[in-house]
Amino acid sequence: MRNIEIFEDFINLGYNKSTRLNRLRDRVVSELIILRSTFAGDTVYYLQTGCSLFIPGDWMELFKSLYVHSGDRILYKKEPEDNNYYDNIIYLNIKLINILTGSKIDGDKFLDTLGDISNLGTNKFRKMLKNKYDLYIEPFEYRSTTKTLEI
Amino acid sequence: MSREENIQEQVREYLEKKEIYSHSIIYTYEFGGIYGLLGVTVYNKDDLEDLLKLLDYDSLCDKTGYMVIEEYNTLIISGSSLAKLLTDLSYEKH
C-alpha cells in the first residue's frame, strides 16, 4: 500500500483538527538552534543568524495524528522507492514527527529531514488537501532579514 | 503570553524607544544557564553599532556573556550580562 493511500484511508476516517492548548516549549535542536512550539505552530530559530522557519500548527497536528494512526506502517517501508511527491512528503513528515517524539531531538536528522521537506515544498500537498478535503493549512515560512519565503 | 515572550516584548519595546528596530528577538532558557539567553538580530550594521553603543559594549572591561556576530548583525547575550540588562529593563518599565 502506498503512503498516499494510507493517508487517504486516515483522512477519510474523519480527521478533525484537534484543539491545541496554548503553550510554549523550547527544545534544543543544535548549537544555538532551538525549536519553539507555540499555539500557532513550531518555529526553528537560528539564533546566530536571526533566521527562522515556521511550521504551521495545523500541519504538525495533521501529521501527528497520522503518525499515531499509521506511523509504523509508513516508517516501516522506509523511503518510497519511486519519486512520487505525495508518498515522499508523507514519509518525510512522519519521519519528522518520529524524530520529535524522542525526549531529545537528533539535531542533524531533524534539520536534514526539514531540509528535504523544504526541497520538495508543501504547496502541492496543501493544494491537494484544499481541493480534495477542503482543508486549508498555512504554508511553511522561512524568514530572514532580507526575505520571507513560502515553502 | 509566556515569560519568554514577555521578555522578548520588553526588549523590543526598549530598543524601539531608542530607535533600534530589530528583525528578531528570541529569549530562551534552553541555553545560557540560569539566566537563559537572548539573541537579537537587527537589519544592518548601523543598527548593530547603535545596539552595542546602547549597551556600552566597547567600554566594558569584561565582555563575558556577549557574542557579537557581525556577519549576521546579531548580538547574543547570556549570563550576568543578560541579568543586568533584564534588571535595567525592569527599572525602565517602572
Side-chain angles (χ1 to χ4, degrees):
Chain A
M1 198 174 196
R2 299 181 60 172
N3 288 344
I4 187 66
E5 291 167 336
I6 295 172
F7 179 82
E8 281 165 354
D9 276 358
F10 154 75
I11 210 150
N12 285 331
L13 282 172
Y15 167 72
N16 285 315
K17 288 182 188 177
S18 57
T19 307
R20 279 174 272 129
L21 298 172
N22 198 358
R23 72 207 197 283
L24 186 148
R25 183 187 181 200
D26 285 346
R27 298 172 76 185
V28 175
V29 171
S30 187
E31 187 64 25
L32 294 178
I33 302 174
I34 57 164
L35 176 70
R36 172 165 290 178
S37 303
T38 63
F39 178 74
D42 289 24
T43 308
V44 182
Y45 287 104
Y46 301 80
L47 296 171
Q48 271 186 297
T49 61
C51 300
S52 61
L53 179 68
F54 171 71
I55 308 168
D58 288 342
W59 182 275
M60 292 300 263
E61 289 303 316
L62 173 68
F63 284 102
K64 273 181 196 167
S65 300
L66 178 63
Y67 180 78
V68 171
H69 185 264
S70 310
D72 287 350
R73 289 166 73 195
I74 292 168
L75 287 173
Y76 177 73
K77 295 196 303 175
K78 305 280 181 195
E79 288 181 59
E81 283 166 14
D82 62 10
N83 283 326
N84 182 280
Y85 168 81
Y86 295 108
D87 287 341
N88 274 294
I89 196 106
I90 291 166
Y91 170 77
L92 288 170
N93 277 282
I94 290 301
K95 188 176 165 190
L96 192 76
I97 300 295
N98 183 253
I99 294 166
L100 292 176
T101 51
S103 57
K104 199 176 168 193
I105 298 175
D106 181 329
D108 290 342
K109 262 191 195 173
F110 175 76
L111 293 173
D112 284 350
T113 307
L114 204 52
D116 290 341
I117 293 170
S118 302
N119 281 338
L120 283 180
T122 64
N123 276 347
K124 195 172 168 183
F125 196 80
R126 291 172 46 247
K127 265 185 196 163
M128 181 273 286
L129 289 176
K130 181 73 188 126
N131 294 337
K132 215 165 170 182
Y133 304 105
D134 197 27
L135 196 61
Y136 173 75
I137 293 182
E138 287 174 73
F140 282 34
E141 204 171 82
Y142 173 80
R143 299 173 191 139
S144 75
T145 49
T146 53
K147 61 191 168 196
T148 299
L149 293 174
E150 285 189 4
I151 288 171
Chain B
M1 195 183 273
S2 68
R3 180 153 184 238
E4 289 92 334
E5 288 169 319
N6 196 24
I7 289 171
Q8 288 170 193
E9 201 48 42
Q10 279 184 49
V11 175
R12 186 181 301 280
E13 281 173 13
Y14 175 69
L15 294 181
E16 283 183 1
K17 268 188 202 164
K18 311 288 178 188
E19 296 191 342
I20 299 170
Y21 299 97
S22 52
H23 162 71
S24 151
I25 297 177
I26 298 297
Y27 182 78
T28 180
Y29 288 106
E30 292 301 317
F31 300 111
I34 54 168
Y35 300 114
L37 180 145
L38 177 76
V40 180
T41 301
V42 291
Y43 288 99
N44 55 50
K45 212 177 177 65
D46 291 344
D47 283 343
L48 181 63
E49 280 174 14
D50 288 346
L51 176 60
L52 295 175
K53 256 185 222 161
L54 180 69
L55 299 170
D56 222 3
Y57 178 78
D58 285 340
S59 61
L60 290 173
C61 297
D62 182 7
K63 291 182 168 57
T64 310
Y66 287 92
M67 188 194 290
V68 181
I69 305 148
E70 288 182 15
E71 190 184 354
Y72 299 112
N73 302 316
T74 296
L75 172 67
I76 290 175
I77 316 176
S78 61
S80 53
S81 306
L82 178 57
K84 186 187 171 301
L85 174 66
L86 297 179
T87 309
D88 291 349
L89 282 180
S90 63
Y91 279 125
E92 178 99 359
K93 202 178 172 186
H94 295 111

